[in-house]
Amino acid sequence: MAAKQVQRWVLLRGLGREARHWGDFPGRLTAALGEARVLTPDLPGNGQHWQAASATRIEAQTTALRAALGTELQAGPVNVIAISLGGMVALDWASRFPTEVDRLVLISTSLAGLAPFWQRLRWQRYPALLQLMFQPAAAREASILALTSNRPERAAQVLGDWQRWQAEAPVSSLNLLRQLWAAARFRPPAHWPSCPGLLLASAQDGLVDPHCSQALAVATGWPLALHAQAGHDLPLDAADWLVEQIVLWINEAAQDGA
């Protein structure tokens, strides 16, 4: 009997975030899926690559990611879970290199051309986002949590870790601006990915209007699930719900293919 192939999942974070910001979500995902290999690469300018310059185009970030995953990709296609800006990279990847991505899960993602700029970043948050560029690292992390989490108790639990990570691998203001510029310019692909996709967002996202995910669902035909209370950072605010939705989606696809 042939050995069961272990699923491989690539997790991509968003603007100014790194692998450690996934928290305990990778462990929860692995426990729910059984045998799975979870990879959490950092994009240039973040985490392990904090000293590199962030690309000003999503396509260039995709190139860097694929190069970092070269050995893994030689073993065959992977599944991808990505949040926010990471979702744009994942979408570009799956659309231009369809043989490398089996499944695609996009969390709290928005695209220019599908949603107006004041929905992609709520206009009420513009002053706070601008302030991030000039804040000390410790204050910046507290501000980011205030923008992306709707659970103050969770934010309080992780703030110290987030501040420590920023001190260890500081994301520069210039790299934040470069990442924002890349996200602002990214447009829907010429051809939507052919792989199965799932969209997840929060109805109470205070940073990105959930209408952005709804517009993406209309354009792609992919299913969309909305959490009722969580903030933009669903892996932080609602990790169990995220895992539940992903596993449900996988099981439904398996039943349909049976």
Side-chain angles (χ1 to χ4, degrees):
M1 180 181 296
K4 180 181 178 181
Q5 188 173 9
V6 176
Q7 293 185 30
R8 291 176 302 144
W9 291 83
V10 174
L11 276 53
L12 300 176
R13 285 291 306 199
L15 178 71
R17 303 293 83 185
E18 58 158 277
R20 288 179 289 187
H21 287 103
W22 283 108
D24 61 3
F25 175 77
R28 293 175 188 240
L29 181 68
T30 301
L33 293 176
E35 292 187 73
R37 174 169 164 76
V38 177
L39 309 167
T40 56
D42 289 321
L43 295 173
N46 304 324
Q48 293 182 352
H49 308 304
W50 66 273
Q51 292 176 301
S54 295
T56 57
R57 296 187 62 83
I58 293 297
E59 294 83 355
Q61 297 194 25
T62 303
T63 298
L65 172 65
R66 293 180 64 244
L69 292 172
T71 303
E72 286 291 339
L73 294 180
Q74 290 175 11
V78 296
N79 307 292
V80 184
I81 301 173
I83 179 170
S84 199
L85 180 145
M88 301 175 205
V89 176
L91 186 60
D92 175 62
W93 180 13
S95 63
R96 292 197 292 128
F97 304 94
T99 61
E100 295 180 357
V101 178
D102 259 347
R103 298 187 187 93
L104 192 58
V105 180
L106 303 183
I107 304 167
S108 307
T109 297
S110 66
L111 296 183
L114 292 184
F117 67 88
W118 62 85
Q119 288 184 344
R120 298 191 65 208
L121 284 175
R122 291 185 186 270
W123 65 268
Q124 299 95 329
R125 302 294 180 259
Y126 290 176
L129 287 167
L130 181 61
Q131 189 179 19
L132 291 179
M133 307 301 169
F134 307 101
Q135 287 183 314
R140 178 194 289 177
E141 293 304 305
S143 296
I144 290 173
L145 279 165
L147 287 168
T148 59
S149 175
N150 287 351
R151 293 183 57 191
E153 77 285 358
R154 279 294 286 139
Q157 289 171 356
V158 302
L159 176 58
D161 287 336
W162 285 29
Q163 290 172 331
R164 186 179 76 256
W165 300 337
Q166 175 62 215
E168 293 171 353
V171 180
S172 70
S173 295
L174 179 57
N175 271 339
L176 281 177
L177 286 171
R178 292 172 70 91
Q179 292 172 37
L180 277 169
W181 181 233
R185 293 194 292 165
F186 184 61
R187 296 294 188 273
H191 302 286
W192 293 108
S194 56
C195 65
L198 172 66
L199 303 172
L200 300 170
S202 174
Q204 300 299 321
D205 187 332
L207 186 63
V208 176
D209 194 307
H211 283 98
C212 296
S213 290
Q214 292 169 345
L216 191 50
V218 171
T220 59
W222 292 339
L224 166 66
L226 292 175
H227 192 279
Q229 294 93 25
H232 180 74
D233 196 337
L234 278 164
L236 175 65
D237 279 6
D240 285 337
W241 180 84
L242 270 186
V243 171
E244 189 178 288
Q245 295 300 316
I246 293 167
V247 171
L248 179 63
W249 173 62
I250 293 172
N251 290 341
E252 287 178 347
Q255 291 173 3
D256 290 343

